[in-house]
């Protein structure tokens, strides 16, 4: 059992929890994730480790309510417990001093981007960060990213904060004005795909963090398999970071839809239960 | 005594047309009377060959005699001297290739061998109804870590606890049991039985910590610092894919994923449990081992209309247990013998529509002694399918091994450990089960666990007495 030490609403439908998990906190590196299960009927869902405190022994997780399990997770409050949390899983980001790096985060993907921003800044890079969301309310972790960025560019669909437009517009501007050694992009798959195309246009290597369907998260089922450079990789153990230009995006997007009917059914059933229980 | 029956005392089973719609256990077990009748068939051989052909050398005539005499506590006492998982072995061991294969009764004309497995199961199931006695372990003899809670790890842990060691088992998943929990389905091995049997091992004083991925959550350095010795029994759980065209289509699974969803995550009880398993109409399972049988029979129970197994050799070479093959046929599973898939065909939306296969014929024997399948030219055919499950074997999981490069591996990527002692290239670290042999059987993994426990005990005691250890 893993105690939730703190729970906060960050934005409409986006939540942050601090979970007491000393072993994971002592090992976690930027780019890694955990798999959690809320209760004995629960499914195993992957979430990126956003931050951790080695001494206090907690890890920080951020999630968006997108279906049954995340809706239920949003109801777990301070002082309550999660049944299972396992990690840190996946390969860590290769943090080193690259020079000037560009980091692009979209929506709840900003949560997964933040530890990489922080890690690269601490490794001595000049860090330019672009954050994008639908509107100001959904633009999470601005202050935290600002703290570890030399330059922070905000983009919203409606222009409610920063500039109106897409993160790829901001990428173009940065590429045109200066030399970038490496890019990271984390967000919805369609965003990562277009970030990849933009970086390729300027011949800059770009890493993306893939979030396919996972079950065990330890390499024993292949549910999270993705085709990278024409070979089968398991995102949970070989990734989750891969070079964007090597990812077969159409296939990746298609596989994400695999359980759409079941996901909708589970969510509908949960909402009905919540309503009938008041 | 009544005349010995030529055949085994039959065990009641659920009818095929009923059981292929539920996940309840197929074989229902002996009553005490049936067990005593079957026990009376045993010849009580001196130098019984069944004992030497059992990987954990159970005193088979001994426990069978106790059953015949209606002394169940004695029967269980004898069994538990040799095995920590009798209810599991009685159900899933391939007895026809081990103890029962060499039974002297079975060797004589017209007689079937004694149903040793079914009797073991009877005694074990009886014991699970008895109250559990909890053991206090002082741990004075030393501290041992076991990595992986499958049959090999649990056996080693149970034996070491009996010897007085403080044993901690680390398991990566949220539930212990390894393949017993995520792989073998409920209808062959009820999870209630697995839980109860593991509870017995915990009662010996063994601690089990779930959600610990050694190599990630804890490092091997930490393990080696905190414990006197360590047993690596992490299994061979990484699925292989053939890698043919269309492998990424929705509806194509590894058997590991399919069975993990069904068994560990209770996918067959969706949406009571949150993890879904795809609804299927036509299912193709690729492979001929027990895992293929388990996947096919699970798919049938999940409501598929037609389930076919595609196997590249013929019935004669089928590696699955005979009993499982017969059960699968009774339950309506079809077979395409001497066939091999070459492509998964897209329905135009990224989902599987059909599996394209070719016919094979058997050529010269290969290294394994089995005749090698060879493709027949222009023999392509199509099987309509919305789900395909590849059950073509597993390899070593690299998660732990990648973080522990000092450990010597063999050319197949498994741990290079001595089969006689389970010793690895690093003193104090022992290994056994599928991570050494590649995917094999539950009982062989248990046999390795027993050897490891004895060897680790000797190793630790030598170290403690300051003796030099190789």
């Amino acid at each position: 059992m893993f105690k939730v030490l703190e729970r906060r609403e960050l934005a409409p439908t986006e939540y942050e929890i601090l979970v007491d998990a000393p072993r994971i906190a002592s090992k976690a590196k930027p780019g890694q994730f955990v798999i959690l299960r809320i209760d004995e009927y629960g499914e195993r869902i992957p979430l990126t480790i956003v931050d951790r405190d080695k001494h206090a022994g907690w890890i920080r997780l951020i999630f968006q309510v997108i279906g049954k399990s995340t809706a239920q997770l949003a109801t777990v409050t301070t002082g309550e417990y999660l049944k299972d949390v396992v990690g840190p899983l996946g390969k860590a980001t290769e943090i080193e001093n690259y020079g000037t790096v560009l980091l692009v985060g979209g929506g709840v993907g900003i949560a997964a981007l933040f530890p990489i921003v922080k890690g690269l800044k601490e490794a001595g890079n000049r860090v330019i960060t672009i954050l994008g969301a639908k509107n100001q309310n959904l633009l999470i972790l601005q202050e935290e990213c600002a703290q570890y960025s030399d330059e922070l560019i905000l983009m919203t669909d409606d222009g409610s904060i920063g500039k109106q437009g897409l993160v790829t517009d901001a990428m173009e501007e940065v590429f045109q004005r200066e030399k970038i050694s490496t890019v990271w992009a984390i967000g919805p798959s369609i965003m990562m795909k277009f970030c990849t195309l933009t970086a390729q246009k300027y011949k800059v290597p770009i890493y993306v963090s893939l979030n396919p369907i996972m079950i065990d998260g330890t390499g024993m089922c292949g549910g999270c398999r993705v085709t990278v450079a024409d070979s089968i990789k398991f995102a949970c153990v070989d990734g989750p970071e891969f070079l964007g230009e090597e990812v077969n995006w159409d296939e990746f997007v298609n596989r994400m839809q695999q359980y759409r009917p079941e996901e909708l059914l589970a969510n509908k059933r949960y909402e009905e239960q919540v309503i009938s229980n008041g | 005594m009544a005349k010995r029956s030529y055949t085994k005392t039959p065990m009641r089973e659920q009818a095929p047309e009923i059981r292929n719609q539920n996940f309840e256990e197929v074989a229902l077990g002996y009553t005490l009377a049936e067990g005593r009748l079957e026990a009376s068939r045993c010849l009580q051989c001196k130098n019984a060959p069944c004992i030497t052909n059992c990987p954990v050398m159970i005193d088979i005539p001994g426990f069978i005699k106790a059953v015949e005499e209606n002394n169940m506590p004695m029967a269980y006492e004898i069994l538990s001297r040799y095995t920590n998982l009798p209810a599991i072995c009685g159900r899933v061991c391939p007895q026809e290739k081990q103890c029962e294969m060499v039974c002297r009764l079975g060797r004589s004309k017209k007689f079937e061998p004694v149903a040793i497995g079914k009797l073991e199961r009877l005694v074990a199931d009886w014991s699970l109804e008895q109250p559990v006695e909890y053991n206090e372990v002082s741990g004075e003899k030393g501290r041992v870590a076991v990595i992986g809670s499958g049959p090999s790890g649990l056996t080693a842990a149970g034996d070491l606890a009996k010897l007085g060691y403080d044993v901690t088992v680390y398991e990566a998943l949220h539930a212990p049991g390894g393949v017993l929990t995520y792989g073998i389905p409920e209808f062959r091995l009820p999870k209630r039985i697995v839980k109860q049997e593991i509870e017995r091992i915990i009662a010996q004083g063994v601690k089990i910590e779930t959600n610990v991925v050694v190599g990630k959550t804890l490092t091997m350095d930490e393990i080696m610092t905190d414990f006197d010795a360590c047993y690596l029994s992490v299994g061979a759980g990484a699925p292989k894919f053939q890698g043919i065209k269309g492998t990424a289509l929705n509806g194509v699974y590894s058997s590991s994923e399919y069975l993990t969803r069904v068994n560990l995550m209770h996918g067959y009880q969706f949406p009571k449990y949150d993890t879904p398993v795809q609804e299927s109409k036509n299912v193709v399972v690729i492979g001929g081992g027990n895992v293929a049988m388990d996947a096919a029979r699970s798919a049938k129970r999940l409501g598929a209309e037609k389930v076919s197994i595609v196997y590249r050799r013929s019935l004669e070479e089928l590696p699955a247990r005979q009993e499982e093959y017969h059960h699968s046929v009774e339950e309506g599973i079809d077979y395409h013998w001497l066939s091999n898939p070459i492509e998964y065909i897209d329905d135009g939306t990224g989902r599987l529509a059909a599996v394209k296969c070719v016919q094979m014929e058997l050529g010269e024997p290969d290294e394994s002694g089995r005749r090698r399948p060879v493709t027949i030219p222009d023999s392509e055919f199509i099987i309509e399918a919305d789900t395909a499950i590849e059950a073509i074997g597993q390899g070593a999981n690299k998660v732990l091994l990648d973080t522990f490069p000092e450990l010597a591996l063999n050319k197949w990527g498994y741990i290079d450990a001595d089969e006689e002692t389970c010793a690895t290239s690093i003193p104090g670290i022992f290994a056994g089960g599928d991570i050494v042999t590649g995917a094999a059987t539950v009982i062989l993994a248990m046999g390795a666990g027993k050897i490891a426990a004895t060897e680790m005990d000797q190793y630790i005691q030598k170290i403690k007495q300051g003796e030099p250890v190789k």
Side-chain angles (χ1 to χ4, degrees):
Chain A
M1 300 287 272
F2 295 78
K3 193 173 186 177
V4 174
L5 303 170
E6 219 177 295
R7 168 189 172 275
R8 234 163 36 98
E9 189 174 341
L10 291 183
T13 75
E14 286 181 26
Y15 296 85
E16 164 182 294
I17 51 176
L18 297 191
V19 182
D20 183 40
R23 278 180 182 156
I24 305 175
S26 74
K27 301 282 164 34
K29 294 195 179 82
Q32 292 188 300
F33 64 95
V34 294
I35 291 229
L36 68 80
R37 199 168 71 115
I38 302 169
D39 61 25
E40 64 172 312
Y41 299 104
E43 60 183 335
R44 296 169 63 96
I45 56 170
L47 287 177
T48 304
I49 302 165
V50 180
D51 207 350
R52 50 109 186 227
D53 186 321
K54 260 190 204 185
H55 306 292
W58 53 251
I59 55 169
R60 181 183 187 188
L61 306 174
I62 290 176
F63 61 94
Q64 184 176 22
V65 174
I66 50 162
K68 194 263 169 178
S69 291
T70 43
Q72 189 187 349
L73 188 57
T75 68
V76 180
T77 57
T78 304
E80 294 185 332
Y81 289 84
L82 302 174
K83 187 110 174 62
D84 301 290
V85 182
V86 61
L89 301 172
K91 289 209 165 108
T93 306
E94 282 185 37
I95 301 283
E96 46 185 276
N97 194 337
Y98 296 90
T100 301
V101 291
L102 178 61
L103 291 113
V104 189
V108 76
I110 296 170
L113 187 81
F114 170 65
I116 306 173
V117 171
K118 187 177 169 188
L120 287 167
K121 181 65 201 164
E122 285 170 350
N125 291 278
R126 195 170 95 80
V127 175
I128 304 173
T129 304
I130 302 169
L131 304 181
K134 277 196 184 118
N135 58 50
Q136 181 174 9
N137 288 337
L138 293 170
L139 228 160
I140 57 171
L141 302 179
Q142 282 174 53
E143 281 168 34
E144 288 90 336
C145 288
Q147 193 190 338
Y148 295 98
S149 303
D150 295 276
E151 187 185 348
L152 182 71
I153 303 167
L154 305 179
M155 302 295 289
T156 47
D157 293 358
D158 63 358
S160 52
I161 191 171
K163 277 192 198 162
Q164 185 174 10
L166 301 169
V167 289
T168 42
D169 302 336
M171 284 175 75
E172 291 271 359
E173 269 188 55
V174 173
F175 284 138
Q176 281 181 12
R177 87 175 180 228
E178 65 184 294
K179 181 157 171 25
I180 301 294
S181 54
T182 311
V183 185
W184 277 260
I186 307 179
S189 35
I190 194 75
M191 181 204 103
M192 293 193 284
K193 180 181 170 178
F194 280 98
C195 289
T196 299
L197 294 173
T198 309
Q200 269 183 289
K201 200 165 110 187
Y202 293 91
K203 299 195 167 51
V204 183
I206 178 168
Y207 288 99
V208 294
S209 180
L210 300 184
N211 54 339
I213 295 171
M214 287 187 188
I215 303 104
D216 64 287
T218 60
M220 55 158 266
C221 86
C224 67
R225 65 189 186 275
V226 290
T227 305
V228 176
D230 295 323
S231 67
I232 298 174
K233 298 283 179 196
F234 293 178
C236 70
V237 289
D238 301 317
E241 273 178 35
F242 296 101
L243 277 172
E245 63 190 76
E246 293 183 346
V247 173
N248 183 328
W249 289 103
D250 294 340
E251 190 186 288
F252 175 70
V253 170
N254 181 52
R255 281 185 64 80
M256 293 285 278
Q257 299 303 318
Q258 197 161 184
Y259 284 97
R260 206 65 199 126
E262 289 85 356
E263 286 163 1
L264 291 171
L265 171 70
N267 199 32
K268 185 163 167 272
R269 184 174 169 272
Y270 180 68
E271 280 172 357
E272 284 165 2
Q273 273 176 357
V274 170
I275 290 165
S276 72
N277 295 337
Chain B
M1 201 190 84
K3 190 170 174 289
R4 258 186 197 88
S5 153
Y6 288 129
T7 54
K8 288 178 182 176
T9 309
M11 184 178 276
R12 286 158 302 125
E13 290 180 347
Q14 281 197 72
E17 64 280 7
I18 292 170
R19 71 181 191 237
N20 71 11
Q21 295 173 52
N22 68 49
F23 273 82
E24 319 268 310
E25 194 168 18
V26 168
L28 299 171
Y30 279 157
T31 61
L32 279 174
E34 287 164 344
R36 291 184 66 188
L37 183 65
E38 181 61 22
S40 71
R41 293 179 69 234
C42 176
L43 299 170
Q44 291 293 321
C45 308
K46 294 217 164 54
N47 306 318
C50 54
I51 300 180
T52 42
N53 237 34
C54 166
V56 296
M57 307 260 288
I58 292 175
D59 174 9
I60 291 167
F63 98 81
I64 289 182
K65 185 146 185 54
V67 173
E68 194 188 350
E69 290 167 354
N70 204 15
N71 189 346
M72 296 301 270
M74 172 63 82
Y76 178 64
E77 205 273 309
I78 296 170
L79 270 184
S80 56
R81 269 182 235 157
Y82 304 92
T83 167
N84 295 312
L85 303 164
I88 289 162
C89 279
R91 285 173 167 82
V92 302
C93 266
Q95 289 101 4
E96 69 275 14
K97 292 176 189 161
Q98 291 172 333
C99 53
E100 294 180 19
M101 186 174 82
V102 295
C103 169
R104 288 223 176 96
L105 182 68
R107 285 291 170 103
S108 52
K109 243 185 181 173
K110 293 196 242 175
F111 283 91
E112 284 183 357
V114 176
I116 300 168
K118 292 180 166 73
L119 288 169
E120 180 182 19
R121 168 183 163 160
L122 170 69
V123 177
D125 285 0
W126 170 86
S127 83
L128 294 177
E129 303 301 319
Q130 312 308 311
V132 184
E133 282 170 38
Y134 285 85
N135 254 355
E136 284 290 321
V137 173
S138 70
E140 272 167 27
K141 289 188 80 176
R143 297 191 72 211
V144 179
V146 173
I147 319 300
S149 67
S152 198
L154 289 174
T155 298
D159 278 11
L160 285 159
K162 283 181 200 166
L163 290 167
Y165 286 92
D166 180 358
V167 185
T168 307
V169 181
Y170 294 107
E171 166 58 46
L173 289 172
H174 60 256
V179 74
L180 308 171
T181 296
Y182 72 76
I184 303 175
E186 193 79 24
F187 53 83
R188 275 216 293 141
L189 180 62
K191 301 310 141 201
R192 170 181 58 83
I193 300 285
V194 177
K195 265 192 195 136
Q196 281 178 304
E197 206 130 90
I198 292 175
E199 206 46 53
R200 300 262 144 169
I201 290 172
I202 293 171
Q204 306 277 357
V206 171
K207 291 186 281 277
I208 301 183
E209 289 197 36
T210 53
N211 295 316
V212 177
V213 184
V214 173
K216 299 271 185 189
T217 317
L218 289 177
T219 62
M220 279 306 293
D221 277 350
E222 287 170 302
I223 299 276
M224 288 163 78
T225 310
D226 290 350
F227 294 93
D228 297 308
C230 164
Y231 182 52
L232 298 175
S233 47
V234 296
K240 290 176 183 160
F241 286 94
Q242 298 183 100
I244 59 177
K245 194 178 166 200
T247 301
L249 289 175
N250 290 343
V252 179
Y253 290 88
S254 73
S255 54
S256 313
E257 178 186 352
Y258 197 78
L259 290 171
T260 300
R261 284 180 179 272
V262 174
N263 298 321
L264 176 71
M265 305 311 297
H266 292 258
Y268 66 98
Q269 289 168 292
F270 177 84
K272 182 184 175 193
Y273 285 78
D274 291 336
T275 306
V277 190
Q278 182 178 304
E279 247 182 65
S280 318
K281 205 169 151 201
N282 298 308
V283 179
V284 169
V285 178
I286 296 117
N290 287 321
V291 177
M293 306 292 129
D294 288 344
R297 296 171 71 198
S298 296
K300 191 83 190 177
R301 283 162 169 77
L302 284 161
E305 286 169 22
K306 192 170 165 60
V307 181
S308 317
I309 288 183
V310 171
Y311 180 53
R312 61 197 185 123
R313 291 181 162 107
S314 58
L315 174 58
E316 221 172 289
E317 294 84 18
L318 196 76
R321 287 193 70 189
Q322 285 261 312
E323 190 181 339
E324 304 312 326
Y325 166 69
H326 288 303
H327 279 151
S328 75
V329 172
E330 285 173 359
E331 289 167 14
I333 310 291
D334 286 332
Y335 282 80
H336 291 275
W337 302 110
L338 290 162
S339 303
N340 206 28
I342 52 167
E343 184 186 339
Y344 297 113
I345 298 170
D346 194 335
D347 74 347
T349 71
R351 292 203 67 86
L352 180 70
V355 183
K356 190 193 274 186
C357 302
V358 283
Q359 289 290 343
M360 316 290 283
E361 59 189 347
L362 293 177
E364 293 300 306
D366 62 14
E367 316 84 64
S368 74
R370 293 185 302 176
R371 293 173 65 195
R372 189 193 299 273
V374 185
T375 304
I376 302 176
D378 304 316
S379 65
E380 289 178 9
F381 65 101
I382 300 253
I383 311 172
E384 195 188 326
D386 49 13
T387 302
I389 305 166
E390 289 198 1
I392 57 164
Q394 292 99 241
N397 190 320
K398 298 288 189 298
V399 171
L400 184 145
L401 303 180
D402 277 355
T403 60
F404 195 33
E406 307 91 302
L407 189 68
L409 305 181
N410 64 25
K411 62 178 173 176
W412 299 281
Y414 297 111
I415 296 175
D416 191 7
D418 187 327
E419 268 180 52
E420 312 258 294
T421 65
C422 293
T424 69
S425 59
I426 298 174
I429 298 189
F430 298 75
D434 286 3
I435 190 56
V436 172
T437 59
T441 61
V442 167
I443 187 70
L444 287 173
M446 287 180 52
K450 281 203 95 64
I451 294 171
T454 310
E455 294 291 326
M456 289 165 86
D457 175 36
Q458 286 179 10
Y459 168 86
I460 294 170
Q461 294 318 312
K462 274 185 191 164
I463 292 273
K464 299 229 158 184
Q465 285 152 24
E467 278 180 44
V469 182
K470 266 194 287 184

